[in-house]
Amino acid sequence: MRGLSFSHPLVRAGFCLFLLALPLASAWNLAVAPSYPKLAIRIGPKLGGVTRDAQVDLSWSSLHDGSFQKAVASRVTDAMAVRPLLIRINNEIRFELFGELTAPQVVRGAKGQLIERSYLEEYCARTADQAAKFAADIIPKLTDIQNYYRARGGVFVYLVTPSKAAHLPEYFVDRVPCPSTPAARTGLVPHYVELLRQAGIDVVDTASLIHSLKGKYEVELFPQGGVHWNDIGGARAVTAVVEDINRQAGRELVPPFTFTYTLSGVASGVDRDLVDLLNVFFPPLSYLTPKVKFETAPCATSPARSIDAVLVGSSFSHLPGQILIEDNCLSELNVYYYMHLGRFGGSPYHELQRDLKDTDLARLRDAKIVILEENESFVARTGYVNELRKIVTTP
């Protein structure tokens, strides 16, 4: 046993080399990883929910307000090779022994259901007069956008997507203060959509559609460990969008599809996006999710492949965008994620461009199909509606 003791020269030498390697690995990550992320040295599984690094800006103002020091400290901390391992060890202990979630933005409801806190807080803060206020604010903006595209022979759809908090409130409303009334919570979207339609805005209300399908399938349309709709919800929503596009066009501009599904265990993607934020070694994934198979006409000969189409919206835009590209033959469709954060498309669906500038948005003016998506949790409160209006109204 003496040969295995810490006092053995080889053991001590190995331990010293390990301690020396840690700062060297951090230095490597600081120097190389920003330009070549794949060459970064990391010990432990990749962390979920990691945000982009703040820019390191050395100036008197940044030194005075502490933003420079904070940015440097964040870069150095992120460069530590053992950071992912240490974080997961800490999170696993707190989760397994105390049931504590270390992701502050995630709330655990009944039966293991997870929700992002912002969606739940919005749902619980709804008031009876909000729909009229939101509609009055957004109708002039949507009218300008819709008139622009229709005057040029295009199709415009305003898409309202559902919130998990509104779909499954029974799991969550007792987890935070919830002063709003049930009538105010459930009445917001129908009243808002009704006012927009009265003003002539073409609305596809997939929020009400998805809520009406509650209990119609073997699984909920939002996964237990995710905040976005699952594949069935996305397929039903895209079906409604395509129907409206073809109705506006007066012909089959976009080929529809039929779909079947099977239930299986959780693999990746939106079915576990909140679970991945927990950053534990053994995430709670003991639930079923649907895997959809689409059947459509061959896209190789479809005229829809050449249509210049765009979808501007939130994180709820990704699944519909992917389906429209891969299963409705809209090969040229681009998804503008919060307008400026990124441009997505292609098959397989992926990020095409990051941090878009105003010049990168010029092609939005010439699109023939435009889908503007807002989630019901922040209708009439997204900056990208104002940005799209500015793009199409600026000479």
Side-chain angles (χ1 to χ4, degrees), residues 183-196:
R185 298 172 204 155
T186 59
L188 173 64
V189 171
H191 188 199
Y192 173 75
V193 169
E194 179 186 11
L195 292 172
L196 265 59

Side-chain angles (χ1 to χ4, degrees), residues 162-179:
S163 158
K164 183 177 182 178
H167 191 67
L168 300 170
E170 63 274 18
Y171 291 107
F172 305 109
V173 292
D174 63 338
R175 304 303 162 112
V176 298
C178 208

Side-chain angles (χ1 to χ4, degrees), residues 72 240 287 301 333 379 384:
V72 171
Y287 53 92
T301 58
L333 182 139
V379 288
Y384 53 80

